[in-house]
Amino acid sequence: MVASASLTLAAIHGFVWYRQRSALASLMFCLMATATAGMAACELWMMSVQSPHEYNHALQCFNILRWMITLSMVGFVHYYLGTGRMWLALSVCGVRTLGLLLNFTLTPNIYYSSISELRKIMFLGKSVTIVEGTPNPLMFVGQFSLILLAVYLVDATVRGHRLGIHRSLIVGTSMLVFVMALSVQTFLVLWESMDTPITTSIFFMGIIATMGLELSNDMVRAAILANNLQNREYELHRERQLTDAIFESAPGMLYLHAREGQIVRWNSQHEKITGYSNEETKLMKAKDLFLPEDLPKLNRSWDRAFSKGSDEVVVDLIRKDGQAIRHLFTMVRVEVRGKPHLVGIGVDLSSQRALAIESAHHNEEMAQLAQMASMSELSSSIAHELNQPLTIILSNAQAAQRLLTHEKPDIKELQEILDDIVSADIRAADVIKKLRTILSRGEPTLELVDPMDLFDNAISLAQADVDASGVFISKKITSNLPQLYADRIPVEQVLLNLIKNACDAMEGTAPPSRHLSLSCKKDSGFIQFSVQDNGCGLPEDFERIFDAFHSTKPSGLGLGLAISRTIIRAHGGQLWAEPAKDRGAIFHFTLPLDASNS
């Protein structure tokens, strides 16, 4: 019964190990169960021997199988629980091996110094053979190996319990109980304190039953986990199909890239938009699709998205053929395999750009009409306010001229006329001062701004004019520029005015050659902004372009540069122009880094 049960369990777990070679605990269990079946056969052999010599052979085979069981039991605890101390395991195996060697070198064996006789007894209703002889003191080597095995099991159980391995308590305790029981039974039989045959295999069968139950529970749990895993894989497959459908149905270019900038995934729209194949995209990084001068802007946007969770940026995407297409990129931070990534969509703004250009033209026309109406009203107001004092000045001056033609002019009357002229002049000056007060904006409201943001916002405001003029913009920005104090809106208007003037100046330049260069650098406590075009250049007396109401454009009012210089001077900076080396003009202005200089 013990042999058949042991071999059945050995076959099951031997097959488990064969299918999964990493399941070494199942291999140890298979070896132990097989050895237990062999031990049961040896015990049956010893119960039916006819001579001391035959009993000695059976006992030697029994000892080999017991050595095999001990080693496989130690191996099972090591691989299944993983909590036993290695030096204790080696000590158990070493002492058990020493006992095996002594069994083959001693006569007749390690258990008996001599065998006196065999006699028959009744055991479980059957007549069986037992041996009588002189016990060998060296049998304590084998008993000592069982004590070491017990210590090893106690240590492994306690350590496993402390580590929270619940199965260690069941496995370790049951194995310890059966080992101690078989040790007592073997000791009593060999010292003839019990009149029964050796039945160690029954105790080992108890150990095997406990081990087999735990392994079977593991197999059941593994089957449940495998079923759950299969269901999860099916759900993941459905989720992946849904994700793929979302990726492919997106109206724009859906993307996923890592923190390092490596492109992880694009939808199928990217090949049509960028011109790059999937194989080419795998070797690229996100920054490879943009102009170098736009990378600082992109890096700031990426940093904000990774730190705050989301962001968006408008920038030109460079196709494989070199064509620049304006895109709006939105991005959201996600975790992929525990690492931060950005997922987002890029929307082509070319169609919106055309509509924006047309709308901007209409807005510009309306603005010009409103400006003309305002200037007309302003000129009427100025004319009305200044007409009376100027008329008084003119009439009094003419009267004074007539008096001076007399031989003896009336000095008193001349004095009165000059007094009237002075009074009228003072009144005219008051009128101008009043109008200037009305039109003056006052002191600038300073705030801490990023020079790059000033450029980006101005370019965004001027984008319609830039696109309509077919101008290509390049930026040369010194890295790590400090922030400065400025009134953001007026300074952006200055940059906007310079950019628009540059676009107008390049109307006579062939469209493919229209190039606008924007640069920014730090210079002795100031930040210097420069706008360079390759247009018609500056007039000979180009300093006059900063005078109010002086314009080189037929439809110009001649106020833009004058107002711009006033704004920059109010900030404590300077605005000036100079001819470019080859062609065109360069406009520079500076803003102080220290707010106290503004």
Side-chain angles (χ1 to χ4, degrees), residues 359-375 500 557:
S359 177
H361 282 312
H362 287 301
N363 292 339
E364 188 174 357
E365 291 176 0
M366 294 297 295
Q368 288 179 348
L369 290 174
Q371 191 177 37
M372 290 175 63
S374 298
M375 290 303 297
K500 286 187 173 183
L557 295 175

Side-chain angles (χ1 to χ4, degrees), residues 494 497-498 501 538-539 541-552 558-566 568-569 574-578 585-589:
V494 171
N497 185 51
L498 295 179
N501 287 347
L538 296 171
D541 54 344
F542 60 83
E543 269 301 319
R544 290 196 60 200
I545 62 177
F546 294 101
D547 295 340
F549 302 105
H550 177 82
S551 176
T552 59
L559 293 175
L561 289 175
I563 294 173
S564 296
R565 174 172 275 185
T566 301
I568 297 303
R569 283 179 175 173
Q574 295 294 327
L575 170 63
W576 71 97
E578 63 183 30
I586 310 176
F587 284 81
H588 307 280
F589 71 86

Side-chain angles (χ1 to χ4, degrees), residues 52 62 102 155 189 195 198 205 210 279 286 292 320 360 372 402 441 443 511 520 527 577 585 589:
F62 174 86
L102 291 174
D155 178 69
V189 170
D195 208 16
I198 297 175
M205 184 61 205
T210 304
E279 295 301 322
K320 185 177 180 180
M372 290 175 63
R402 288 194 299 270
R441 188 175 179 273
E443 292 296 324
C520 188
I527 298 294
F589 71 86

